[in-house]
Amino acid sequence: MGQTNIIECSRCSGLLLAAGDKKTRTCPYCGARIDTKSARKLASAEDAFTASEVLRELKKQKGFNRTQL
Ligand SMILES: [Zn+2]
């Protein structure tokens, strides 16, 4: 596992992880195919584990889990 980026889906604004060497990624929320190079990158981490931790924090900040409160 190498560098992993946290990117935003251009269609639904969902946050997802993309390995640094991947050119495209399918959004797990809306199914859109995302070009990882042109997608908005919110953060990056040295490995997938750290990236998932960061992703969780970003989702919290974005209020993605609001419905669970
Ligand atoms: Zn999406």
Side-chain angles (χ1 to χ4, degrees):
M1 273 298 181
Q3 201 203 334
T4 304
N5 300 316
I6 291 123
I7 58 172
E8 188 179 72
C9 173
S10 53
R11 192 198 279 181
C12 74
S13 298
L15 303 180
L16 57 138
L17 300 178
D21 56 352
K22 282 263 169 75
K23 287 193 177 65
T24 58
R25 186 80 169 72
T26 302
C27 175
Y29 310 104
C30 72
R33 208 175 68 140
I34 301 157
D35 182 341
T36 57
K37 287 272 186 290
S38 62
R40 193 158 85 96
K41 193 168 90 174
L42 298 171
S44 64
E46 303 208 334
D47 55 66
F49 178 77
T50 311
S52 65
E53 297 278 290
V54 175
L55 176 63
R56 195 157 54 196
E57 286 304 308
L58 285 170
K59 279 183 178 176
K60 249 191 246 171
Q61 287 169 24
K62 266 194 139 202
F64 261 70
N65 299 322
R66 203 175 287 154
T67 51
Q68 294 172 9
L69 292 175

